[in-house]
Amino acid sequence: MRVQGRWLRFLVVVTLFAGVAVACGGDEGGSTLAPPTTFASTTSVDGATTTAGGTATTTGGVTTTEASTVGPDSGTHVAWLGGFGCGVSALSEDAVWYRFREEHGNFETDQVFDVVVDGAGTAWVTTSSGTFEVRDGSWSRIAEISFDALAVDPSTGELWGVRYQEAAVFDGTSWETFSYTEFGEGENTELVEDVAVGPDGVVWVSTASTVAAYDGSAWAWWGIDQGFPDMPYGVFIESIAAGPDGRVWVSHSTGVLAYDGDSWTDLDPGVTQPQRITAADDGRVFLASWSDGFATFEDGRWTVTVATPGGLANDRVRAVEVDLRGRLWVGTSWGFSVLDQGTWTSYTMATSGVAGNCIETIAIHGGGPPDLPDPLDVETGTLTGLIMAGDAPFADAQVVLCDDQPGMIFLGATPCTGYPVEIVTVTDAEGRFTFADIPIGDYELAWEIEEGSWRTFLVGGVEPTVRAGVVTELEAIQSED
């Protein structure tokens, strides 16, 4: 089951980090992480051996390559898309999909935190099972640990990553780390959130309450009562971006902070619950929001884009990127949309070769693929299950299928009202339910135990996964505690 939200993701990551703290020598600056390792040159997929370079297969009109040593042969003009619980995908220059997930036998985890690329097309992917470099179609593990976010220094090619209590930089051979104590003072500074590198090579790191800059020799920092403007509700920082003009942008719990080299200004982007912020090469700034679409800062003002028929697919935006062809790529909780010369095209697992529907990170080399594939006819499958109340069937109960974790507090008819996917059915006299011919994807499930009161799975529960032409039978669900 996907874990959504930075706080829940933080709990997972802290557990992973706690397991490697001793091996990494704690949190002292200058410590060295384990050296990189390279995957074997061949791997077995469904009983067939695939070498680097790969064997492309076509299913339902989608061309894919699924082997751990195989990515796009050339990393140039490739679009990468990933998400926590959805694996990672690459759309190559010749419009071939490469998808990496546990279910394909070519990836150790579906929990992808971030993807970045450099000017030469090398990609880095950080997951809950480690951090990897993808170069010329070959994957190499460069760290056993994961990072919450990555960034590439455009001038040196060095890779920066941040995680709980530290930042680290990889020069292609070894890692150097910096403790969160370098990043300022205040509440929750140990929660190191994001990293960006400006065109001048200055490294910017954000914690939950501060921003720090590294010029190669020393760190400087800002925070409440330390350069930030007065904000009555304080600040909880989500993301940071460094623009081509030298300005630095920070999304936080109630808005955006912008730094012009002298001072910080608090801005209202027009959306609530800001998420990832991106500064494009053309000077525009994009801010994803939890459920308000996304905001664009251009020519000194913010505009907001929301879902419309034939436009942006849904308002639950998680990432926005621009390629050098000028196309806008928008990742959402249910697929992604691309804006090209005024026309929107949207894709999901059911209509493309993308590995998963939760697109929380996008990285594009250069102009990306010159020609995007047309969406395919929707592929469908069936999901069925049984709900019991003790020894008796739980009959005539509403069951809702959602694209994301059902809300604990909700105002609509179900906990998923307003989500991109909300499909409702009712259990029969035997407590059975069926969702027939629904788009393939990874879903969440909730059922009504009494009027207005719903129950859902906790993390680690049953995963309602729907795949093409398959009837997925869930394990019996016990409605009682």
Side-chain angles (χ1 to χ4, degrees), residues 39-43 50-53 67-71 100 106 136-139:
F39 286 164
S41 60
T42 63
T43 187
T50 305
T51 60
S68 61
T69 52
V70 178
F100 302 90
N106 61 12
D136 297 328
S138 181
W139 289 70

Side-chain angles (χ1 to χ4, degrees), residues 177-198:
T177 61
F178 300 88
S179 170
Y180 74 98
T181 56
E182 303 270 12
F183 309 147
E185 302 172 359
E187 295 183 356
N188 302 316
T189 54
E190 72 276 12
L191 304 182
V192 185
E193 294 286 317
D194 202 2
V195 60
V197 184

